[in-house]
């Protein structure tokens, strides 16, 4: 079995020599596997590639790909493609250069491939796995991308840890079926996207617990830098696209929400401008219109399979209104305060209303909805 270890690097001169050595030494204990190492370097200014070229004289199984600086995602796409087509890998194992994922763990991943799994993910979030040394900012970033976006928005539930680089992937029948050349991820959204693509070709997933440590030497490239915003937006975009492809009802859900939102704002505008309604009353009526629109569109379109009728429909409608009453109160209160203390300008009112919906009403409804669901489950 031919294993290709893929190490993306950007300024990893202090680490790269050592990780090549460790992978080589561990590999020697398992003569049944043929280990090759592929470094994908973005012309690191610190001379990482020059060091690799020097090491190639000592290590015949060491390969180097050099390309312009395009981000971690692109480096991995290039690397995977090269490992499959040029190096004829049976299994690829990407890893970081900085020893945060212990390269000595790779035989544990390969064992699972031998057992018949196709995607083996090193995981910090199953029993036995953990993270050492994250500050709150790093943790918050990870939790938002991992739980909120990858798990909840994208709905990729094959694994619990979506963000890491360290994994073992079977090539034949799985990774070679993934359209790598069509993947456009520049940043770390690649990690989620590749898992999703592998799920589509029917791969069998498993996680192996590992400890994620602090970087050994050098500096992290991912975090609050000039690529931060680009990478986050890309991650959100990927998560939504994955969800839309996986479950079209989510798309309906977005359309229903968008329609209610539009109806609400147009109605408020007309009530204030033409009907001369007091602003907070107009907003209450607008909010009620959105609730009615959401309810009926969801009933007749999103969930048309389990449509309800007659008296039951009326009961459900009242129940839905009852649950939503809090959102009307929130909106009315904010608009009352805003118009009394700041301005009665119509555009100010509408913008304030939009902000309220995004930052208060949506989280509030989400909270209420979850409690509601949770309650019915417990019964
Ligand atoms: N070629 C290339 N190009 N390599 C890169 C680039 C790039 O633009 N950016 C980062 N790398 C390399 C680094 O040199 C390192 O080997 C590896 O990718 C990970 O980068 P770090 O700088 O160590 O980032 P991290 O510790 O924050 O990464 C963590 O989060 C990522 C995303 O969630 C780890 O968990 C990664 O495994 C994970 O992919
Ligand atoms: Mn790192």
């Amino acid at each position: 079995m031919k294993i290709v270890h893929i190490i993306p690097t950007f300024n990893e001169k202090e680490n790269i020599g050592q990780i090549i050595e460790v992978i080589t030494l561990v590999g020697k204990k398992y003569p049944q596997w043929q280990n090759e190492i592929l470094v994908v370097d973005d012309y690191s200014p610190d001379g990482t590639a020059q060091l690799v070229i020097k090491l190639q004289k000592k290590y015949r199984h060491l390969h180097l790909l050099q390309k312009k600086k395009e981000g971690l995602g692109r480096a991995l796409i290039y690397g995977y493609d090269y490992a499959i087509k040029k190096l004829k890998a049976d299994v690829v194992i990407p890893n970081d250069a900085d020893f945060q994922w212990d390269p000595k763990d790779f035989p544990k991943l390969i064992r699972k491939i031998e057992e018949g799994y196709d995607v083996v993910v090193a995981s910090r979030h199953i029993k036995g796995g953990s993270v050492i040394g994250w500050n709150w900012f790093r943790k918050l970033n990870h939790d938002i991308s991992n739980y909120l976006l990858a798990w909840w928005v994208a709905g990729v539930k094959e694994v619990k840890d979506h963000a890491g680089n360290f994994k073992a992937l079977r090539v034949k029948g799985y990774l070679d079926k993934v359209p790598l050349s069509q993947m456009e991820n520049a940043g770390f959204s690649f990690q989620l996207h590749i898992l999703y693509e592998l799920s589509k070709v029917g791969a069998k997933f498993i996680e192996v617990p590992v400890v994620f440590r602090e970087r050994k030497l050098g500096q992290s490239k991912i975090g609050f830098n000039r690529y931060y915003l680009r990478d986050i937006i890309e991650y959100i975009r990927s998560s939504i696209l994955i969800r839309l492809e996986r479950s079209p009802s989510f798309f309906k859900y977005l359309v229903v929400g968008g329609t209610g939102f539009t109806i609400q704002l147009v109605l408020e505008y007309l009530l204030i401008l033409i009907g001369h309604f007091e602003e907070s009353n107009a907003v209450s009526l607008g909010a009620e219109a959105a609730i009615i629109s959401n309810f009926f569109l969801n009933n007749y379109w999103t969930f048309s399979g389990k449509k309800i009728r007659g008296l039951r429909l009326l009961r459900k409608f009242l129940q839905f209104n009852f649950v939503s009453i809090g959102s009307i109160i929130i909106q009315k209160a904010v608009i009352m305060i805003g118009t009394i203390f700041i301005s009665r300008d119509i555009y100010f009112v509408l913008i304030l209303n939009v902000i309220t919906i995004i930052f208060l009403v949506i989280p509030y409804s989400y909270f209420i909805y979850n409690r509601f669901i949770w309650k019915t489950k417990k019964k």
Side-chain angles (χ1 to χ4, degrees), residues 293-340:
S293 151
N294 289 353
F295 180 81
F296 285 100
L297 278 177
N298 272 329
N299 187 48
Y300 288 103
W301 188 46
T302 317
F303 307 117
S304 56
K306 31 189 171 178
K307 213 183 303 183
I308 44 176
R309 291 195 180 82
L311 262 183
R312 270 200 60 218
L313 182 65
L314 185 68
R315 224 189 62 209
K316 264 266 160 227
F317 179 65
L318 291 178
Q319 195 180 31
F320 188 67
N321 261 284
F322 186 70
V323 170
S324 309
I325 219 151
S327 78
I328 301 185
I329 294 173
I330 293 172
Q331 293 180 71
K332 188 176 167 83
V334 171
I335 296 302
M336 275 173 79
I337 295 169
T339 46
I340 291 171

Side-chain angles (χ1 to χ4, degrees), residues 197-343:
E197 290 293 339
L198 286 160
S199 78
K200 279 203 289 187
V201 296
K204 229 166 104 187
F205 285 73
I206 193 167
E207 285 181 284
V208 169
V210 298
V211 179
F212 187 72
R213 290 169 210 284
E214 287 181 80
R215 173 179 264 273
K216 207 164 192 179
L217 294 166
Q219 244 149 58
S220 173
K221 280 89 212 171
I222 296 166
F224 203 69
N225 56 29
R226 69 195 167 108
Y227 299 110
Y228 180 70
L229 210 62
R230 176 199 73 179
D231 286 355
I232 293 281
I233 290 171
E234 186 180 78
Y235 205 98
I236 296 172
R237 189 171 161 264
S238 298
S239 304
I240 293 175
L241 288 176
I242 289 172
R243 167 63 75 174
L244 290 182
E245 202 177 289
R246 256 198 182 177
S247 53
S249 73
F250 183 75
F251 172 71
K252 290 185 170 179
Y253 189 74
L254 285 184
V255 172
V256 169
T259 308
F261 184 75
T262 311
I263 289 178
Q264 172 167 359
L265 289 185
V266 171
L267 185 68
E268 287 170 9
Y269 184 81
L270 295 176
L271 287 176
I272 296 171
L273 206 69
I274 298 171
H276 303 294
F277 272 65
E278 208 238 308
E279 291 81 0
S280 69
N281 291 335
V283 167
S284 306
L285 286 172
E288 179 59 29
I291 289 168
I292 295 172
S293 151
N294 289 353
F295 180 81
F296 285 100
L297 278 177
N298 272 329
N299 187 48
Y300 288 103
W301 188 46
T302 317
F303 307 117
S304 56
K306 31 189 171 178
K307 213 183 303 183
I308 44 176
R309 291 195 180 82
L311 262 183
R312 270 200 60 218
L313 182 65
L314 185 68
R315 224 189 62 209
K316 264 266 160 227
F317 179 65
L318 291 178
Q319 195 180 31
F320 188 67
N321 261 284
F322 186 70
V323 170
S324 309
I325 219 151
S327 78
I328 301 185
I329 294 173
I330 293 172
Q331 293 180 71
K332 188 176 167 83
V334 171
I335 296 302
M336 275 173 79
I337 295 169
T339 46
I340 291 171
F341 293 105
I342 305 173
S343 158

Side-chain angles (χ1 to χ4, degrees), residues 7-12 40-42 67 69-73 75-76 95-98 100-101 124 134 138 142 145 163-166 186 188 191 212 215 219-223 227:
I7 319 284
T9 54
F10 193 72
N11 290 342
E12 300 285 2
V40 188
D41 185 65
D42 287 10
K67 52 183 277 299
K69 175 89 174 100
E70 288 175 302
L72 174 62
L76 288 168
N95 199 354
D96 300 341
D98 59 3
Q100 288 197 270
W101 306 97
R124 300 162 277 201
W134 264 352
R138 194 68 186 75
H142 178 77
S145 55
N165 194 19
F166 195 33
F188 58 86
Q191 309 292 9
F212 187 72
R215 173 179 264 273
Q219 244 149 58
S220 173
K221 280 89 212 171
I222 296 166
Y227 299 110

